[in-house]
Every structure is written in structure tokens, then in C-alpha cells.
Amino acid sequence: MLEHKDGQQKKEVKPPLLVIKNLSKSYIPGVLAVDDVNLTVNKGEIFALLGSSGCGKSTLLRMLAGFEKPTSGKIILDGQDLSNVPPYKRPVNMMFQSYALFPHMTVWNNIAFGLKQKHMPKDEIKENVEQMLALVHMEEFADRKPHQLSGGQRQRVALARSLATHPKLLLLDEPMGALDKKLRTKMQLELVDIIEKVGVTCIMVTHDQQEAMTMAERVAIMDCGEFLQVGDPEEIYENPNCRFTAEFIGSVNIFDGVLGENGSDFMYVECPALQNKIYIDAGAAIADGMKLSVAIRPEKITLSKEKPQQECNFEEGIVDNIAYMGDVSIYLIKLQSGQIVRTTLPNVDRFRKNQPTWDDKVFISWEPDSCIVLTI
Amino acid sequence: MSGPAPEVKSVWRLIVLALGFFFLYMPIIVLIVYSFNDSQLVTVWSKFSLRWYKELFVGVQQQSEAIRSGVLLSLTIGFFSASFAVVLGTISAFVLTRFDSFRTKTLFSFLTTAPMVLPDVIIGLALMLLFVALENMTGGLYDWLNGMKVEEGTLWSGIHSALTYCASKIAGWPEKGAFTIWLAMVTLTSAYVSVVVRTRLQEMDNSIEEAAMDLGATPLKTFFVITIPSLFPAILSGWLLAFTISMDDVVITQFVSGPGAKTLPIVVFSSVRRGVSPTINALASIIVLVVSVCTFIVWYTMHRKDKKRQREYGMMSVRQKAEREKSDTPKA
């Protein structure tokens, strides 16, 4: 996650700007594309909607822009109910995935378009456009047509165009979707920089979790039109509230089991796939013998050649496969039960010196507080 | 054999090429050559002369005059029908691609393209029958009003005389002539325009219009400021297509034209029956010349533009590419 310089302290004092109440949308009767969504976005916040394609995130964004009419529910922006306001009267601007720059207009005219619709005096338009061009470092390209620009430049023009009218809310639809991977990381940081400089509230839609975690202060995980979890990136990664979120964000090892012996500050989980019990140093307010899953992130599993000195939270297996990624190696360990466990090992030495190799007998172990207990 | 095909200097290739060009252009060359023929007979060469060109432009023969007025009428009808067809065709294309599906969308879509697939003879006949029926109706209305017995001095008699006056104005409308030809051509060519524009609309990025609305332009303004300019190439080619089609249509025009309105193709056809005058050769040569020059100009400007773009791109690879890269890196 990007460290927002003034993030934590200021967050509490930010007043809410956008309130979404019980918002639903169905295209076909009986099928909800967006299902009873409630959300509050604070002023100046960058909020990301994250989900796989078809999860309803784009529909939600289009409802905010006004291109789709909600079936039920309310969208309240800064105290104004937007539900029946057409897109051209909303103080909301969108940056499209394809950028949607007007091909027959120069960069200058593209940026000035929104201001002209507001019937702003000419000299004010000029001043505003120049300010925007400076903001995105595109001054020398003002007379170019969109087809004469590179992908990154087009994106910056699109951003300048949507910021020129000073919207209350900025919507980003897959902002990096049209860029290649290397440029993406650069532009992510630059985009956040510009958005924070302007101070506009921003909602973005993406299917790329890395992008959401880099750019957004808060992330909502969407599936089948519903919000599964809303929180800051760290919370969502370290403390997912359901199996879908755990599996969607990053990679994870999941062991299905039943709750064994437990107390107020500890519990044991017995998993058929594991030989030893899992010990978790947190209590659970659930009944004995209940079915649950334990999720452990790969980087929190330690790989060793010697048997660890502990009674639980370790397992024996053989190296099934190794994926060399450069900075880390991903090890797939086959347990005796046949389940494959994924773990990572940083490549501290060159050429994986002293590291286990294929078909080696190894032990994996983890800390009690690395376990995430999931009941759904 | 592998590798690039070796260049075969075969005689056959040359012969095939020559034959191809011969088939394509020989008739036109013959036509042009005979337009400079002095003889009254089209097929017998006597000596070089420009008399048929003179005849075409300033000749007093009945046929030359018919040709001149025919050219003028064809151009006029072509211009106006293409212009109106572009409006109708664009609107129908827009409705068919951009509106949510409505109950009769498929039917409507079929109906707009029907004039393209229906035989011209049927369209011509149908239009002729329609125009005749309309003529009878307007004439009948006037006769009926005129024959009505009305008391003088009442309110009704005032209304009646006003109605009769109006009916007398439209009686016999639409008289077959330039107007009906124009109507028929609009009917035929708007189908072509609709198809051309629809193709372009379908591949156009919807989000451009959405972006305009998002930035505060009303749907109507978006249509004129964003959609129409983006569609302009398609609208232009639709216009040219419609112009060409209505310029040289014979079959439908035959059915709907009246005694006074003779378009160029009709003049040519009717003169063929009486034996072709070499004036027509002269006219055809001029048309060939005009079309060739226009095509050349279009080709040349496109070629220039292409070259320019290539040059720009080439320059970009050295200077602007570096510039691009520099500007893609985040500034400190």
C-alpha cells in the first residue's frame, strides 16, 4: 500500500461526500447486477471497487456517472440526491477505460470541452486549460490530436479533461487497463499524486488487486453485485472475512477442518489433510465440532529442512515444484495427504544456494497468529 | 520450392495482364476515340474532328439540347436526393444502432434495407402506382369539393371555398416529373446511406458520446458536436454513393418520370433507340475525364497525407519517441 503522507490522522475528520443507500440494478427481471449496496465515501478519499469481470463493479460506476438508472436505492452526493439527474447535469466526471478522447479535437479542445459546456468566458477557459495542461505535464502537446499521443500521454489528457470542470467526484474506469505493465506502475503513482494534489474524491474500478492496493485508501471487494468486504488494503489482505476475499486477494493456502478443543484464548483445529493439529492463539465464539477453514498466506509459512521444535503448526512434505520468480521462489510442497501447500522463499543468495530442491523432504511451519479462521 | 518466389519473367503473365486491361479499358478507349470522329455514324471512322464536342455544348440539335438539360436535371436530382438521403439514412442508422431494442426493431431494420434487395422494376412499379393513386386522390378531392352544393353567405361556405382553394392547389399532386424522381431516388438511396453509416456507428466507441455527456453536453449537442463529426467520413461516402446511384438510375426513373423530366440516362436510352448520335460519345468522354481527374485528386491527396503521416512517424522514431518516453516517466 502506498503510504499516504497525511493518511491515518486525517481520515477520521474527513466528512462523508458520497452516500449510497440500498442501491440495486437489474437488467433482466430477477437477476441483480448490483445487489443492495450501501457505501459511504469520504471527501478526498480514493476508493477502489475490486472484483472479477461481471461482478457489477462497472454497473455501479455507470450508475454513479448517470449512464444507468438504478432499479432501486439512492445515490446522494454532497447532500444532493442524484438518482434522477441526467449525466450531463451531475458534478461527476469519469475517466473512461478507452480514455474516450474526442478524435477530431486537439488536446487543448478536449480539455476545454467540459468548460465550454458550462459557458465559461473564453479567457477563464484558457486559464483553466493551461492550468490542467501544466498539472499533467502536457503543455507542449496542446495542439496534438489524440492519435499522435502515446498511451501514457492519452491517459493524462483524459485525466486533465475529467478534472478540468472541477467535479465533486471523479470516477476512474480501469484506469490502467490500456497501458502496458511497465508504464502501469509509473502511472499509478503519478495518478495518485495528481488526484491528491487536486484533492478530488475518487472512485475507481479495477480487476487488478495490485492496482487497487497501490492507489486506494479503501477497497471494496465485489462479487455477484454485492460488497463482500470493505476496508483498507492491509485489513483486507491480512484479515479477509470470507473465503472468496481470501482467495481473490493474493494467494492463500486453505485447510478445511473442524473445531477441536478450544478456550477463551486458544483453539485447536483438526484438519483431515494435516497430520498435526493447527493451534490458533485466539478464541472462537463457535460451537465444538463446527466445520471451518483455516487460511494461511504463503509468505507466512516457513520452510526448513529440519523438523521444527513444536508440537503443532508444522507438517512434513516433499518439494513438488519450484517457480523461480527472481526476488522470491515459490515452492509447492506436497503433503502426505496429497494436498499442495504454496510457500515463498526469498532468494537471499544467488543461484538458490542451500535451498531445498525438487523431491527434497522438507518441513513447513507457521506461527499461531498467522492463521485466519474462516467460517464462510 | 522454398524461400521467396523467384521472379518469373513469363510471357504468359504479360499476356494475361494485357488481356485484363484490354477487357477493362478497351470499350472506354473506343468510345473516346470515336468521340473525335467526324462521321455521322458512330462505327465508321472518317477523320479527326471536335464537331461533336461543339455540338454538345452549343449545338442546336434537339438531341444536344435534351442531353444538356438531362445532365443538369440528373445533377440536380443527384445532389438533392443524396443530401436528403443522407439525413434520413443517418437518422435511421442512429435509431437502429443506438436505441434500446424496441418491439419492431428487426422489422424496421429489414424495411430500411429492403430497397437495396428488391428488384428495381418492382420498386419503380410500386412507386408509380403510389404516385398515380395519390394523383387520383388529390384530384378526386378537388372534384368532390368543387361539385358540392353550398349555400352562399354562411360560415360553411367560407370554409368550403377555402378548402376548395387549397384542394385546387394540390389537385393532381404529385405530378410525375423531377419531384417524383427525387422522391423515388431518396427512397432507394437512403437505404444505402443507412447501411454505410450503420457500419461506422457500430464500430464507433460508445464511450466517446458518453464522455461528452459526462462533461456536460446534452444528448442533442453531443449528437451534433461529437457523433456527426466522427461519422463524417461515412456520411460523405454515403452521400457520394447516393449521388452516383441516383445519377445513373434508369429503371426506377423510367417508371416515375413524367413527360417533362428526362434525366441523362433516360435521354441516352431513348436516343439509342433512334440510333446513337456521336454527341453521346463526346459526353461520355467528358464524364470519363471528370471522373478520372476526381479520382486522381482524391488518390493524390490521400497519398500525400499518407506520406506526411509516415514522415511524421519516422521522425517520431528518433526525436519524438525519446520525448514520449521522457514524458511517460513520472516527474520528480
Side-chain angles (χ1 to χ4, degrees):
Chain A
M1 183 195 169
L2 213 158
E3 284 302 326
H4 297 277
K5 285 154 236 157
D6 46 10
Q8 298 302 324
Q9 297 91 338
K10 264 193 180 174
K11 205 180 256 175
E12 282 78 38
V13 285
K14 280 176 186 169
L17 179 84
L18 174 77
V19 180
I20 297 173
K21 276 185 191 160
N22 304 95
L23 195 68
S24 292
K25 170 79 189 174
S26 73
Y27 293 102
I28 314 154
V31 184
L32 287 169
V34 172
D35 188 358
D36 198 29
V37 161
N38 286 291
L39 178 68
T40 304
V41 177
N42 296 328
K43 213 167 186 156
E45 193 175 22
I46 302 178
F47 190 89
L49 297 170
L50 183 59
S52 43
S53 52
C55 73
K57 57 187 196 300
S58 291
T59 308
L60 182 54
L61 201 73
R62 290 175 63 80
M63 279 197 278
L64 292 174
F67 301 133
E68 305 285 351
K69 251 185 139 68
T71 311
S72 65
K74 272 186 176 169
I75 299 166
I76 297 158
L77 181 71
D78 213 8
Q80 187 198 1
D81 186 1
L82 286 185
S83 310
N84 288 313
V85 179
Y88 48 92
K89 284 187 184 157
R90 293 190 185 204
V92 176
N93 281 351
M94 180 150 153
M95 193 179 101
F96 291 81
Q97 182 176 6
S98 59
Y99 309 139
L101 297 176
F102 308 130
H104 56 290
M105 293 185 193
T106 59
V107 167
W108 206 95
N109 281 326
N110 261 286
I111 297 173
F113 187 85
L115 302 168
K116 283 181 188 161
Q117 306 312 314
K118 283 187 166 181
H119 305 291
M120 199 181 257
K122 266 195 178 146
D123 45 333
E124 246 176 89
I125 292 183
K126 191 166 178 277
E127 194 184 314
N128 257 296
V129 172
E130 274 160 12
Q131 203 183 328
M132 283 300 142
L133 282 168
L135 182 71
V136 297
H137 312 298
M138 289 289 287
E139 295 99 324
E140 62 262 61
F141 301 98
D143 297 326
R144 295 261 179 102
K145 290 269 182 77
H147 69 88
Q148 293 168 310
L149 301 176
S150 70
Q153 290 171 338
R154 277 182 216 180
Q155 191 193 43
R156 276 181 284 167
V157 175
L159 182 68
R161 187 180 68 177
S162 46
L163 287 175
T165 50
H166 300 287
K168 285 179 183 166
L169 182 65
L170 176 70
L171 306 174
L172 306 176
D173 186 7
E174 301 271 5
M176 307 296 158
L179 299 180
D180 54 67
K181 207 178 172 205
K182 213 173 170 188
L183 196 53
R184 226 176 258 192
T185 5
K186 282 181 197 167
M187 290 308 292
Q188 281 169 358
L189 299 171
E190 196 179 331
L191 212 64
V192 171
D193 208 44
I194 292 170
I195 290 166
E196 285 188 342
K197 211 183 270 176
V198 176
V200 68
T201 312
C202 176
I203 295 184
M204 59 183 276
V205 148
T206 178
H207 65 272
D208 181 347
Q209 43 153 314
Q210 220 179 340
E211 190 176 305
M213 290 171 106
T214 315
M215 293 176 70
E217 288 164 55
R218 276 200 303 154
V219 177
I221 309 292
M222 265 189 104
D223 186 42
C224 299
E226 286 178 72
F227 281 179
L228 295 180
Q229 192 172 3
V230 181
D232 62 49
E234 202 173 325
E235 190 183 329
I236 285 179
Y237 185 79
E238 301 295 358
N239 203 11
N241 65 357
C242 64
R243 204 176 167 133
F244 181 89
T245 311
E247 283 178 330
F248 187 75
I249 299 288
S251 40
V252 74
N253 298 298
I254 291 191
F255 305 106
D256 294 313
V258 289
L259 185 63
E261 192 188 337
N262 69 92
S264 61
D265 59 350
F266 74 93
M267 60 175 147
Y268 286 96
V269 179
E270 288 162 37
C271 303
L274 302 180
Q275 307 226 281
N276 304 308
K277 288 178 191 168
I278 297 177
Y279 169 74
I280 301 163
D281 60 352
I286 43 177
D288 276 15
M290 184 172 168
K291 278 185 183 167
L292 44 78
S293 326
V294 175
I296 307 168
R297 296 284 182 195
E299 73 279 3
K300 297 189 171 61
I301 293 177
T302 317
L303 194 66
S304 59
K305 284 177 184 169
E306 292 84 37
K307 190 168 183 245
Q309 299 298 310
Q310 57 198 70
E311 281 172 28
C312 349
N313 292 1
F314 79 95
E315 212 53 40
E316 190 188 322
I318 55 164
V319 178
D320 191 56
N321 218 336
I322 307 169
Y324 177 73
M325 310 296 285
D327 51 348
V328 293
S329 290
I330 295 169
Y331 277 75
L332 298 179
I333 311 296
K334 196 176 197 171
L335 303 183
Q336 274 157 336
S337 63
Q339 185 170 352
I340 303 282
V341 174
R342 191 184 165 99
T343 171
T344 55
L345 207 59
N347 294 323
V348 255
D349 294 312
R350 293 177 74 194
F351 303 111
R352 295 193 287 115
K353 205 166 69 187
N354 298 329
Q355 287 189 11
T357 182
W358 277 271
D359 294 328
D360 277 2
K361 190 170 128 181
V362 288
F363 292 91
I364 53 167
S365 58
W366 55 89
E367 295 297 316
D369 64 358
S370 298
C371 302
I372 308 155
V373 180
L374 301 169
T375 49
I376 42 171
Chain B
M1 253 204 318
S2 64
E7 198 181 326
V8 185
K9 288 221 169 117
S10 157
V11 188
W12 278 109
R13 282 190 168 201
L14 286 174
I15 290 174
V16 169
L17 189 73
L19 276 176
F21 276 118
F22 181 82
F23 277 119
L24 283 175
Y25 292 108
M26 206 51 207
I28 297 173
I29 291 168
V30 167
L31 181 131
I32 293 172
V33 166
Y34 274 98
S35 74
F36 296 107
N37 185 5
D38 191 52
S39 163
Q40 188 72 249
L41 295 161
V42 181
T43 44
V44 181
W45 179 264
S46 60
K47 68 181 201 306
F48 179 84
S49 119
L50 287 172
R51 69 180 273 209
W52 302 116
Y53 286 91
K54 194 179 159 203
E55 180 64 45
L56 178 68
F57 284 106
V58 292
V60 286
Q61 268 185 32
Q62 203 198 344
Q63 205 181 27
S64 327
E65 259 165 31
I67 288 175
R68 285 199 293 271
S69 68
V71 169
L72 199 67
L73 184 68
S74 277
L75 286 175
T76 317
I77 288 175
F79 178 81
F80 283 106
S81 58
S83 305
F84 199 62
V86 154
V87 175
L88 284 185
T90 307
I91 292 172
S92 76
F94 197 78
V95 168
L96 284 170
T97 43
R98 285 295 149 86
F99 279 34
D100 288 343
S101 54
F102 46 94
R103 198 170 280 253
T104 50
K105 191 170 178 172
T106 326
L107 181 71
F108 185 61
S109 158
F110 172 72
L111 287 178
T112 46
T113 46
M116 280 171 67
V117 289
L118 280 176
D120 282 2
V121 180
I122 290 175
I123 299 175
L125 189 65
L127 283 168
M128 186 189 76
L129 292 177
L130 173 76
F131 292 144
V132 169
L134 274 176
E135 232 177 295
N136 289 342
M137 266 168 65
T138 51
L141 183 71
Y142 174 67
D143 290 344
W144 177 66
L145 281 170
N146 210 20
M148 204 180 268
K149 283 206 175 92
V150 184
E151 263 181 67
E152 293 287 324
T154 56
L155 177 67
W156 167 235
S157 78
I159 296 171
H160 177 260
S161 56
L163 282 176
T164 317
Y165 176 74
C166 292
S168 76
K169 285 286 159 194
I170 61 160
W173 182 90
E175 205 178 338
K176 287 209 290 177
F179 179 69
T180 49
I181 300 174
W182 174 72
L183 277 182
M185 286 304 110
V186 170
T187 313
L188 177 70
T189 53
S190 56
Y192 287 88
V193 177
S194 179
V195 169
V196 172
V197 174
R198 215 187 304 170
T199 319
R200 178 84 187 98
L201 256 177
Q202 271 160 354
E203 59 192 40
M204 216 175 101
D205 188 2
N206 243 355
S207 55
I208 291 175
E209 285 157 89
E210 284 181 343
M213 277 193 256
D214 193 56
L215 291 165
T218 58
L220 194 71
K221 182 147 193 204
T222 305
F223 182 75
F224 285 111
V225 180
I226 303 297
T227 316
I228 294 285
S230 313
L231 284 179
F232 187 72
I235 291 177
L236 184 69
S237 54
W239 191 93
L240 286 171
L241 189 64
F243 182 78
T244 321
I245 290 170
S246 53
M247 267 292 281
D248 70 4
D249 182 82
V250 186
V251 182
I252 297 175
T253 311
Q254 250 337 333
F255 279 99
V256 295
S257 73
K262 285 208 182 294
T263 60
L264 179 67
I266 300 224
V267 172
V268 172
F269 256 86
S270 50
S271 69
V272 165
R273 248 180 277 140
R274 282 180 273 132
V276 195
S277 150
T279 331
I280 288 168
N281 282 16
L283 176 73
S285 306
I286 288 170
I287 291 176
V288 168
L289 182 74
V290 168
V291 170
S292 312
V293 168
C294 287
T295 319
F296 179 76
I297 289 171
V298 169
W299 172 80
Y300 187 69
T301 45
M302 294 232 305
H303 179 74
R304 281 264 306 262
K305 245 188 191 171
D306 235 37
K307 268 271 176 78
K308 201 178 147 205
R309 199 173 299 158
Q310 261 176 14
R311 224 177 19 240
E312 265 176 13
Y313 199 79
M315 264 161 65
M316 200 142 66
S317 59
V318 284
R319 189 172 59 84
Q320 285 176 325
K321 251 190 186 166
E323 200 175 275
R324 263 188 188 183
E325 231 132 79
K326 209 171 72 193
S327 68
D328 277 343
T329 48
K331 305 237 161 128

